[in-house]
Amino acid sequence: MAAHRCCFPVWLFILCSFSLFIIAGSQETTVAPEQHASVLDNPQTAAETAEQTAGESGGVEERRWEGTEVRDAAAQKQAEPAVLQPTPQPKDDFQEELVVRPLHSGDIYASFQFRTLWETDFMRGNKVSHYRLFPKSLGQVISKFSVRELHISFTQGYWRTMQWGQPYLPSPPGAELWVWFQDSVTDVDATWKELTNVLSGIFCASLNFIDSTNTVQPSASFKPLGIGNVTDHRFLRYATLPREIVCTENLTPWKKLLPCGSKAGLAVLLKSEKLFHSSFHSQAVHIRPVCQDWQCKTTSWELRQTLNVVFDLHNSGQGKREWSLFKMFSRTLTEACPLASSSKIYIDITDNPEGEQFELSPATSLLSQAMVLGDRRTFSVYDLTQQDTFGSVRSLNLLIRWKSTEGDMLRPLLHAERYVAGYGLQTGEIHTLMYNHHPYRSFPVLLLDSVPWYLRLYIHTLTVTSKGKDNKPSYIHYQPSKDRVRPHLLEMLVQLPPNSVTEVTVQFERALLKWTEYTPDPNHGFYVGSSVISSLVPSTVAMDTNSTRERPLFSSFFPCKEESSYFVRVYTEPLLVNLPTPDFSMPYNVICLTCTVVAVGYGSLYNLLTRSFQIEEPSPGLAKRIANVIRKMRGFPGTMG
Amino acid sequence: MGLLSDPNRRRALINLLTRLNAPICVVCYMAGVAWFMGLAFEPFTLRTYMSENAMGSTMVEERFPSGERAVATGREFAAHKKKVSGMPVEWLVKTMQARGLEVYTQRFSRTLPFPDENKERYMVKGTNVYGILRAPRAPRTEALVLSAPCTPGDNNNQAVGLLLGLAQYFRNQIYWAKDIIFLVNDHDLIGMQAWLEGYHHTNTTGMDWSPLQGRGGSIQAALSLELSSDVVTSMDLVLEGLNGQLPNLDLANLFYAFCQKIGVLCTIQGKLQRNDWDSVSGYSHAVQTMMLMVMKQASGRPWGDHGLFLRYHIEAATIKGINSFRQYKTDATTIGRLLEGMYRKLNNLLERLHQSYFFYLMPSLSHFVSIGYYMPAFGLLAVILLPGVLSVLTPLVISHLTGAALYMLPIRFQEMAVEHFPVSETEAVVLTAIAVYTAGLALPHNTHRLLSGEGTEQGWRVLKLVALLYLAVLLGCTALINFSLGFILALTLVPAAAFVTPHVPKVLSAFVLVILSPACTLLFSVFFFQELQEMPVSFLDGWLLYLSVISQGILDHFLYGSLVYPLIALLVYPCWLLFWNILFWK
């Protein structure tokens, strides 16, 4: 299998960088830090850049050539017959990578991405039966349910934007699922229902609890991320389960979807005892159609599996500002996944250009730069397909040791929070706060709120205020709830003024449920899923236009279009709301019982006590009455009867 | 079964009841009081037990090691507090951040309706500091609170030290499922009120506060810590909250269970538990403990910082370290372990505390009287009012106007009073209140002038009917919400209501009626309370205390929304005036 990697170097150029859904543009820049100048051995930068432009995502410029490396690797393996033999163009490809971002708080963020590309067509009755790298279970789901795009995430914990910055892939606490169906699907709701049940089995999760009461069709917030231009939101379904607990049982099926499983490559690091000893854990699966090449003549299916984890300095680091692969995952790396065409580790060293913040060992000469979330970041790259990466001990254990605790994180430009205000069990108010920290630019955000029916929103009390003034949303899409059928859906396009807090408030009434509708733990409260805030945020690089950072004058007058803004999705925390709950305890049962007894017993007893009884004389027959009348007429007193 | 069906027998029964009305009333009253006193007798009470399964069977191990360091931190805090002569905000923020918490501050300000001379404050400005320990892999939906007030002087520094010590220790643990908020509140209750209002974004008392930046979801439980010395001999549990609300009994059980486990002496109402319930002194000890609880609950004041949480459906209690110079000493490490154990169990909660009782009295920490046991005592008193209804309208409005005047005038007229009389604002408020109260006694004459007619025999009967019904409903409702207050009011008002007619000797009855009026009840309560605390006071001191209690009551209403003052002024006092009117019926 290693042969594929060696035979098709062209793929390596395309796939040399990690890519993100949320990258709006890419740019290649040449960096040649002086301290590495002596190591610089390949001057073919210009040619490489030209090649890389063809890549579909995040541009990478490295001081050392990937092409050269591959040629070297090929040369090493020339003895192997498989390399010499030209094989037919494979239709699938697998890449793996790990990005590590040391955080200012001393915590560390690790993000795994595994991408499988497959040039095939699941649709139009095309029966696909031969699977190689692409997992068969998901392929069958795509073809059976005519899925155009599928995004599913399982998250345990809440992403702390203000401490950790923006995540590479945002996700709300609990489970989130959104699916675009092909326009050939006639009964979307039934297909959706069936699909959630199947996915529930595949991922060992409670996705079968997704039904009409927590499913919405957002009109603007969730656009398709792959190719295709159908944006009729009738074919979109979105649901979250904020209460879903994510654990080993969800990780195992997720790992089984990988071509190498957890046997080789980066997935070796995914040990649940460490992954669930962290501050944040999120795993996701994204399926979408993408272009096969830059001309987009053919399409292929992309399966992207991601796993994000943040390790805590105090809990797992024992307070020492030092991280290594072994400390994080209790494993070291010894090889790449043999099926992978690329296998890399990126360490974000943007804040550490001179090595004054932390020390990285073993050192690497490979550097890469990419536009990530509106910021130009520099990464140290470790290529696991290269044998010399592992050194003489045949194992790679990256070590990051902090030298100082100084330094400030760039404040995220957009963040949001949400809470329930008020007290008592009758009414309440949902407050959503959206912060724009940009010093001088305003930008619009799309706010999506899906609130369960048992919180009855008073939509006339909806207010949007920024800086003490009324802020009128330019677009509102509101779908009222129906009791026990569907939730409220509120989507708004709001302009956030620069350097401000925008507050959205809406009052609600807590519904009294039927007694069978309460969960087994009603006093825990009921969850309301996260609000979703989607936005194009002006990038921090564009912010530099007016600043004094050293740049050539000719490059800094007009803000560059590609990097002027980037897409960000922010999730607020879910809410836990207490509803009026009867006392489901023994006294409650006793009260029910006594009420019944009283209702039955009291009436009869009251009757007996208060009613006065009289002996009623039997009424005389008709004949006797007539006889009496006759007697009266004849002068006898009518005593008979 | 024909008992009530037969008109003759029914008439006989009614005759019997009417004839025996007075003795029945006396018997019921005595029985009610006796029942109540019996509640403190141990064989009649229930042992406390943990109802919540999530806190019962799970074992936790307490390992908090750094009590000494916490004491040192407390000293450091004291030094910084002295340096800035107030809340050392910057130092607290820095210290909490160093312990890995997310730290936020909240500023607040409040101008009291009139100066509070007990605590010497009028225009209050302060800053609350709180740090949130984010639970790993938790979605910010649930939180627990540990608070320590920053009080002026040398008090409570150890509590802040221990709070910071616990924060540091808790931060390194992986097992938290709920965020933990460590709060140091400035100006004790006012700061707590500001923080709670800010957290829930409500404004019930017209305070100015800056909005909170960080939250942890819905708060499940809270403990407030008060420690003023490095070594304590016992830990005291305070439960009584605003308006006589009590936290779930499981919180008291939790405290008791851990005190037993760790071997800390624990008290309630500052009274140790005794084992000799069968002796007279043992019984009177239990009665004292229970009566203290009744008096405290009836006052409707929050008796610790926890008292304000209860409005928000958050179970809360205050834990006080008491140093009474006994032999038995407990150090900060042990107290830290006690709190660690309690928080770990609270952390295990799947639902809010709801399994155990919300309405109870405690004659000792290990025994409680539930609502089913104490309500009959009240019922026996209330039943006296019912025959009263059998025996049979008018100055109702005027009585209530007087009540409204009592409620509003003291605050409104303080400036005028200060101008014309040589008194301070606080005295002005209290004395105006007493003046309005006394002025109400002149009402009967004025009412009659307004009515300009002879009061008929029928008239006073109707009035009495209305007054009795009024009282019955009023006391019934009060006792449901705050049993202790309801019971104390019933104890005094019910006899007054029962005997009063225009035909009893005027002077003597008037004297008795005044003695039984709410104001005098309060006066007696003050003396009684001091007696229970074994700190008897002379009459003059008692009178001064009485005046300060009135001013505190009014302040509690305006600061925290306590309902006792409006209840007395707007409902109980007018009701009593009705009986006063009946006595002077012409």
Side-chain angles (χ1 to χ4, degrees), chain A residues 328-354:
Chain A
M328 287 190 265
F329 304 105
S330 72
R331 290 287 184 288
T332 55
L333 286 171
T334 51
E335 56 171 343
C337 170
L339 298 172
S341 61
S342 142
S343 175
K344 283 182 180 159
I345 298 180
Y346 294 83
I347 314 279
D348 191 336
I349 54 160
T350 317
D351 307 321
N352 189 39
E354 309 289 330

PDB file of all heavy atoms in Angstrom, chain A residues 328-354:
ATOM      1  N   MET A 328       0.463  14.042  26.682  1.00  0.00           N
ATOM      2  CA  MET A 328      -0.909  14.282  26.253  1.00  0.00           C
ATOM      3  C   MET A 328      -1.662  12.983  26.017  1.00  0.00           C
ATOM      4  O   MET A 328      -2.790  12.821  26.440  1.00  0.00           O
ATOM      5  CB  MET A 328      -0.911  15.108  24.954  1.00  0.00           C
ATOM      6  CG  MET A 328      -0.538  16.554  25.133  1.00  0.00           C
ATOM      7  SD  MET A 328      -0.866  17.468  23.626  1.00  0.00           S
ATOM      8  CE  MET A 328       0.702  17.423  22.851  1.00  0.00           C
ATOM      9  N   PHE A 329      -1.012  12.063  25.285  1.00  0.00           N
ATOM     10  CA  PHE A 329      -1.753  10.899  24.799  1.00  0.00           C
ATOM     11  C   PHE A 329      -1.255   9.578  25.389  1.00  0.00           C
ATOM     12  O   PHE A 329      -1.745   8.522  25.031  1.00  0.00           O
ATOM     13  CB  PHE A 329      -1.676  10.824  23.277  1.00  0.00           C
ATOM     14  CG  PHE A 329      -2.157  12.072  22.596  1.00  0.00           C
ATOM     15  CD1 PHE A 329      -1.274  12.967  22.038  1.00  0.00           C
ATOM     16  CD2 PHE A 329      -3.520  12.353  22.519  1.00  0.00           C
ATOM     17  CE1 PHE A 329      -1.724  14.114  21.408  1.00  0.00           C
ATOM     18  CE2 PHE A 329      -3.969  13.494  21.891  1.00  0.00           C
ATOM     19  CZ  PHE A 329      -3.072  14.378  21.337  1.00  0.00           C
ATOM     20  N   SER A 330      -0.246   9.641  26.206  1.00  0.00           N
ATOM     21  CA  SER A 330       0.444   8.481  26.770  1.00  0.00           C
ATOM     22  C   SER A 330       0.908   7.500  25.681  1.00  0.00           C
ATOM     23  O   SER A 330       0.925   6.297  25.892  1.00  0.00           O
ATOM     24  CB  SER A 330      -0.412   7.761  27.832  1.00  0.00           C
ATOM     25  OG  SER A 330      -1.479   7.072  27.249  1.00  0.00           O
ATOM     26  N   ARG A 331       1.240   8.025  24.509  1.00  0.00           N
ATOM     27  CA  ARG A 331       1.813   7.244  23.403  1.00  0.00           C
ATOM     28  C   ARG A 331       2.794   8.140  22.659  1.00  0.00           C
ATOM     29  O   ARG A 331       2.672   9.351  22.704  1.00  0.00           O
ATOM     30  CB  ARG A 331       0.726   6.835  22.395  1.00  0.00           C
ATOM     31  CG  ARG A 331      -0.273   5.805  22.862  1.00  0.00           C
ATOM     32  CD  ARG A 331       0.334   4.415  22.943  1.00  0.00           C
ATOM     33  NE  ARG A 331      -0.674   3.433  23.296  1.00  0.00           N
ATOM     34  CZ  ARG A 331      -1.240   3.304  24.487  1.00  0.00           C
ATOM     35  NH1 ARG A 331      -0.925   4.135  25.470  1.00  0.00           N
ATOM     36  NH2 ARG A 331      -2.144   2.366  24.714  1.00  0.00           N
ATOM     37  N   THR A 332       3.730   7.539  21.965  1.00  0.00           N
ATOM     38  CA  THR A 332       4.540   8.317  21.027  1.00  0.00           C
ATOM     39  C   THR A 332       4.279   7.766  19.635  1.00  0.00           C
ATOM     40  O   THR A 332       3.676   6.707  19.482  1.00  0.00           O
ATOM     41  CB  THR A 332       6.035   8.206  21.342  1.00  0.00           C
ATOM     42  OG1 THR A 332       6.372   6.816  21.368  1.00  0.00           O
ATOM     43  CG2 THR A 332       6.356   8.828  22.678  1.00  0.00           C
ATOM     44  N   LEU A 333       4.757   8.476  18.605  1.00  0.00           N
ATOM     45  CA  LEU A 333       4.508   8.048  17.236  1.00  0.00           C
ATOM     46  C   LEU A 333       5.707   7.283  16.705  1.00  0.00           C
ATOM     47  O   LEU A 333       6.854   7.678  16.934  1.00  0.00           O
ATOM     48  CB  LEU A 333       4.251   9.270  16.364  1.00  0.00           C
ATOM     49  CG  LEU A 333       2.888   9.925  16.574  1.00  0.00           C
ATOM     50  CD1 LEU A 333       2.842  11.240  15.833  1.00  0.00           C
ATOM     51  CD2 LEU A 333       1.774   9.011  16.092  1.00  0.00           C
ATOM     52  N   THR A 334       5.434   6.210  15.982  1.00  0.00           N
ATOM     53  CA  THR A 334       6.541   5.461  15.406  1.00  0.00           C
ATOM     54  C   THR A 334       6.430   5.354  13.891  1.00  0.00           C
ATOM     55  O   THR A 334       7.395   5.067  13.220  1.00  0.00           O
ATOM     56  CB  THR A 334       6.592   4.037  15.985  1.00  0.00           C
ATOM     57  OG1 THR A 334       5.296   3.464  15.856  1.00  0.00           O
ATOM     58  CG2 THR A 334       6.991   4.060  17.442  1.00  0.00           C
ATOM     59  N   GLU A 335       5.225   5.593  13.363  1.00  0.00           N
ATOM     60  CA  GLU A 335       5.076   5.484  11.904  1.00  0.00           C
ATOM     61  C   GLU A 335       3.833   6.221  11.469  1.00  0.00           C
ATOM     62  O   GLU A 335       2.952   6.515  12.277  1.00  0.00           O
ATOM     63  CB  GLU A 335       4.959   4.011  11.504  1.00  0.00           C
ATOM     64  CG  GLU A 335       3.813   3.345  12.254  1.00  0.00           C
ATOM     65  CD  GLU A 335       3.488   1.958  11.768  1.00  0.00           C
ATOM     66  OE1 GLU A 335       3.909   1.611  10.661  1.00  0.00           O
ATOM     67  OE2 GLU A 335       2.791   1.246  12.484  1.00  0.00           O
ATOM     68  N   ALA A 336       3.788   6.493  10.172  1.00  0.00           N
ATOM     69  CA  ALA A 336       2.573   7.062   9.601  1.00  0.00           C
ATOM     70  C   ALA A 336       1.655   5.917   9.235  1.00  0.00           C
ATOM     71  O   ALA A 336       2.072   4.767   9.181  1.00  0.00           O
ATOM     72  CB  ALA A 336       2.916   7.870   8.365  1.00  0.00           C
ATOM     73  N   CYS A 337       0.390   6.233   9.012  1.00  0.00           N
ATOM     74  CA  CYS A 337      -0.521   5.209   8.517  1.00  0.00           C
ATOM     75  C   CYS A 337      -0.055   4.836   7.112  1.00  0.00           C
ATOM     76  O   CYS A 337       0.099   5.709   6.260  1.00  0.00           O
ATOM     77  CB  CYS A 337      -1.948   5.750   8.492  1.00  0.00           C
ATOM     78  SG  CYS A 337      -3.101   4.691   7.638  1.00  0.00           S
ATOM     79  N   PRO A 338       0.227   3.568   6.845  1.00  0.00           N
ATOM     80  CA  PRO A 338       0.787   3.189   5.532  1.00  0.00           C
ATOM     81  C   PRO A 338      -0.152   3.510   4.379  1.00  0.00           C
ATOM     82  O   PRO A 338       0.280   3.640   3.249  1.00  0.00           O
ATOM     83  CB  PRO A 338       0.987   1.679   5.652  1.00  0.00           C
ATOM     84  CG  PRO A 338       0.867   1.366   7.100  1.00  0.00           C
ATOM     85  CD  PRO A 338       0.065   2.416   7.734  1.00  0.00           C
ATOM     86  N   LEU A 339      -1.439   3.652   4.659  1.00  0.00           N
ATOM     87  CA  LEU A 339      -2.386   3.943   3.593  1.00  0.00           C
ATOM     88  C   LEU A 339      -2.466   5.431   3.293  1.00  0.00           C
ATOM     89  O   LEU A 339      -3.098   5.842   2.343  1.00  0.00           O
ATOM     90  CB  LEU A 339      -3.781   3.452   4.002  1.00  0.00           C
ATOM     91  CG  LEU A 339      -3.921   1.960   4.233  1.00  0.00           C
ATOM     92  CD1 LEU A 339      -5.276   1.649   4.817  1.00  0.00           C
ATOM     93  CD2 LEU A 339      -3.730   1.227   2.919  1.00  0.00           C
ATOM     94  N   ALA A 340      -1.846   6.239   4.128  1.00  0.00           N
ATOM     95  CA  ALA A 340      -2.004   7.682   3.985  1.00  0.00           C
ATOM     96  C   ALA A 340      -1.037   8.221   2.960  1.00  0.00           C
ATOM     97  O   ALA A 340       0.129   7.833   2.919  1.00  0.00           O
ATOM     98  CB  ALA A 340      -1.788   8.355   5.326  1.00  0.00           C
ATOM     99  N   SER A 341      -1.517   9.124   2.131  1.00  0.00           N
ATOM    100  CA  SER A 341      -0.640   9.758   1.167  1.00  0.00           C
ATOM    101  C   SER A 341       0.121  10.896   1.831  1.00  0.00           C
ATOM    102  O   SER A 341       1.121  11.355   1.325  1.00  0.00           O
ATOM    103  CB  SER A 341      -1.457  10.294  -0.001  1.00  0.00           C
ATOM    104  OG  SER A 341      -2.377  11.246   0.471  1.00  0.00           O
ATOM    105  N   SER A 342      -0.400  11.369   2.944  1.00  0.00           N
ATOM    106  CA  SER A 342       0.296  12.423   3.665  1.00  0.00           C
ATOM    107  C   SER A 342      -0.007  12.271   5.134  1.00  0.00           C
ATOM    108  O   SER A 342      -1.124  11.942   5.516  1.00  0.00           O
ATOM    109  CB  SER A 342      -0.173  13.783   3.134  1.00  0.00           C
ATOM    110  OG  SER A 342      -0.276  14.707   4.182  1.00  0.00           O
ATOM    111  N   SER A 343       0.983  12.493   5.962  1.00  0.00           N
ATOM    112  CA  SER A 343       0.786  12.339   7.394  1.00  0.00           C
ATOM    113  C   SER A 343       1.691  13.339   8.076  1.00  0.00           C
ATOM    114  O   SER A 343       2.910  13.236   7.999  1.00  0.00           O
ATOM    115  CB  SER A 343       1.137  10.904   7.791  1.00  0.00           C
ATOM    116  OG  SER A 343       1.063  10.765   9.180  1.00  0.00           O
ATOM    117  N   LYS A 344       1.099  14.351   8.693  1.00  0.00           N
ATOM    118  CA  LYS A 344       1.919  15.454   9.180  1.00  0.00           C
ATOM    119  C   LYS A 344       1.461  15.939  10.538  1.00  0.00           C
ATOM    120  O   LYS A 344       0.297  15.814  10.887  1.00  0.00           O
ATOM    121  CB  LYS A 344       1.833  16.626   8.201  1.00  0.00           C
ATOM    122  CG  LYS A 344       2.663  16.404   6.986  1.00  0.00           C
ATOM    123  CD  LYS A 344       2.604  17.578   6.070  1.00  0.00           C
ATOM    124  CE  LYS A 344       3.472  17.293   4.850  1.00  0.00           C
ATOM    125  NZ  LYS A 344       3.114  18.124   3.722  1.00  0.00           N
ATOM    126  N   ILE A 345       2.408  16.527  11.243  1.00  0.00           N
ATOM    127  CA  ILE A 345       2.083  17.205  12.495  1.00  0.00           C
ATOM    128  C   ILE A 345       2.480  18.661  12.338  1.00  0.00           C
ATOM    129  O   ILE A 345       3.586  18.964  11.869  1.00  0.00           O
ATOM    130  CB  ILE A 345       2.838  16.589  13.688  1.00  0.00           C
ATOM    131  CG1 ILE A 345       2.425  15.131  13.855  1.00  0.00           C
ATOM    132  CG2 ILE A 345       2.545  17.357  14.953  1.00  0.00           C
ATOM    133  CD1 ILE A 345       3.120  14.446  14.996  1.00  0.00           C
ATOM    134  N   TYR A 346       1.538  19.566  12.662  1.00  0.00           N
ATOM    135  CA  TYR A 346       1.816  20.994  12.607  1.00  0.00           C
ATOM    136  C   TYR A 346       1.796  21.551  14.025  1.00  0.00           C
ATOM    137  O   TYR A 346       0.894  21.253  14.789  1.00  0.00           O
ATOM    138  CB  TYR A 346       0.735  21.727  11.812  1.00  0.00           C
ATOM    139  CG  TYR A 346       0.684  21.380  10.347  1.00  0.00           C
ATOM    140  CD1 TYR A 346       0.012  20.242   9.903  1.00  0.00           C
ATOM    141  CD2 TYR A 346       1.282  22.208   9.413  1.00  0.00           C
ATOM    142  CE1 TYR A 346      -0.048  19.926   8.562  1.00  0.00           C
ATOM    143  CE2 TYR A 346       1.231  21.905   8.059  1.00  0.00           C
ATOM    144  CZ  TYR A 346       0.571  20.760   7.646  1.00  0.00           C
ATOM    145  OH  TYR A 346       0.518  20.465   6.318  1.00  0.00           O
ATOM    146  N   ILE A 347       2.798  22.327  14.342  1.00  0.00           N
ATOM    147  CA  ILE A 347       2.796  23.014  15.640  1.00  0.00           C
ATOM    148  C   ILE A 347       2.711  24.505  15.367  1.00  0.00           C
ATOM    149  O   ILE A 347       3.531  25.047  14.614  1.00  0.00           O
ATOM    150  CB  ILE A 347       4.090  22.741  16.438  1.00  0.00           C
ATOM    151  CG1 ILE A 347       4.452  21.265  16.407  1.00  0.00           C
ATOM    152  CG2 ILE A 347       3.956  23.270  17.857  1.00  0.00           C
ATOM    153  CD1 ILE A 347       3.733  20.407  17.359  1.00  0.00           C
ATOM    154  N   ASP A 348       1.730  25.167  15.984  1.00  0.00           N
ATOM    155  CA  ASP A 348       1.547  26.605  15.773  1.00  0.00           C
ATOM    156  C   ASP A 348       2.623  27.353  16.545  1.00  0.00           C
ATOM    157  O   ASP A 348       2.650  27.353  17.773  1.00  0.00           O
ATOM    158  CB  ASP A 348       0.154  27.004  16.272  1.00  0.00           C
ATOM    159  CG  ASP A 348      -0.198  28.415  15.849  1.00  0.00           C
ATOM    160  OD1 ASP A 348       0.732  29.200  15.611  1.00  0.00           O
ATOM    161  OD2 ASP A 348      -1.404  28.714  15.770  1.00  0.00           O
ATOM    162  N   ILE A 349       3.540  27.979  15.798  1.00  0.00           N
ATOM    163  CA  ILE A 349       4.630  28.699  16.478  1.00  0.00           C
ATOM    164  C   ILE A 349       4.564  30.191  16.162  1.00  0.00           C
ATOM    165  O   ILE A 349       5.560  30.904  16.264  1.00  0.00           O
ATOM    166  CB  ILE A 349       6.002  28.133  16.071  1.00  0.00           C
ATOM    167  CG1 ILE A 349       6.151  28.130  14.555  1.00  0.00           C
ATOM    168  CG2 ILE A 349       6.217  26.755  16.636  1.00  0.00           C
ATOM    169  CD1 ILE A 349       7.581  28.058  14.111  1.00  0.00           C
ATOM    170  N   THR A 350       3.377  30.685  15.771  1.00  0.00           N
ATOM    171  CA  THR A 350       3.254  32.083  15.373  1.00  0.00           C
ATOM    172  C   THR A 350       3.719  33.034  16.470  1.00  0.00           C
ATOM    173  O   THR A 350       4.401  34.017  16.197  1.00  0.00           O
ATOM    174  CB  THR A 350       1.784  32.396  15.041  1.00  0.00           C
ATOM    175  OG1 THR A 350       1.274  31.326  14.273  1.00  0.00           O
ATOM    176  CG2 THR A 350       1.679  33.693  14.280  1.00  0.00           C
ATOM    177  N   ASP A 351       3.326  32.732  17.695  1.00  0.00           N
ATOM    178  CA  ASP A 351       3.672  33.638  18.786  1.00  0.00           C
ATOM    179  C   ASP A 351       5.079  33.384  19.300  1.00  0.00           C
ATOM    180  O   ASP A 351       5.497  33.957  20.283  1.00  0.00           O
ATOM    181  CB  ASP A 351       2.679  33.449  19.947  1.00  0.00           C
ATOM    182  CG  ASP A 351       1.264  33.584  19.451  1.00  0.00           C
ATOM    183  OD1 ASP A 351       1.044  34.455  18.589  1.00  0.00           O
ATOM    184  OD2 ASP A 351       0.396  32.829  19.900  1.00  0.00           O
ATOM    185  N   ASN A 352       5.776  32.511  18.631  1.00  0.00           N
ATOM    186  CA  ASN A 352       7.052  32.043  19.155  1.00  0.00           C
ATOM    187  C   ASN A 352       8.110  32.036  18.059  1.00  0.00           C
ATOM    188  O   ASN A 352       8.799  31.059  17.850  1.00  0.00           O
ATOM    189  CB  ASN A 352       6.824  30.619  19.696  1.00  0.00           C
ATOM    190  CG  ASN A 352       8.003  30.101  20.453  1.00  0.00           C
ATOM    191  OD1 ASN A 352       8.623  30.837  21.184  1.00  0.00           O
ATOM    192  ND2 ASN A 352       8.308  28.828  20.248  1.00  0.00           N
ATOM    193  N   PRO A 353       8.227  33.137  17.276  1.00  0.00           N
ATOM    194  CA  PRO A 353       9.120  33.065  16.113  1.00  0.00           C
ATOM    195  C   PRO A 353      10.584  32.905  16.510  1.00  0.00           C
ATOM    196  O   PRO A 353      11.349  32.268  15.816  1.00  0.00           O
ATOM    197  CB  PRO A 353       8.879  34.389  15.401  1.00  0.00           C
ATOM    198  CG  PRO A 353       8.314  35.302  16.438  1.00  0.00           C
ATOM    199  CD  PRO A 353       7.631  34.451  17.452  1.00  0.00           C
ATOM    200  N   GLU A 354      10.969  33.470  17.623  1.00  0.00           N
ATOM    201  CA  GLU A 354      12.382  33.414  18.023  1.00  0.00           C
ATOM    202  C   GLU A 354      12.598  32.380  19.121  1.00  0.00           C
ATOM    203  O   GLU A 354      13.646  32.348  19.736  1.00  0.00           O
ATOM    204  CB  GLU A 354      12.828  34.791  18.530  1.00  0.00           C
ATOM    205  CG  GLU A 354      12.503  35.951  17.594  1.00  0.00           C
ATOM    206  CD  GLU A 354      13.369  35.926  16.331  1.00  0.00           C
ATOM    207  OE1 GLU A 354      14.504  35.432  16.422  1.00  0.00           O
ATOM    208  OE2 GLU A 354      12.891  36.366  15.269  1.00  0.00           O
TER     209      GLU A 354
END
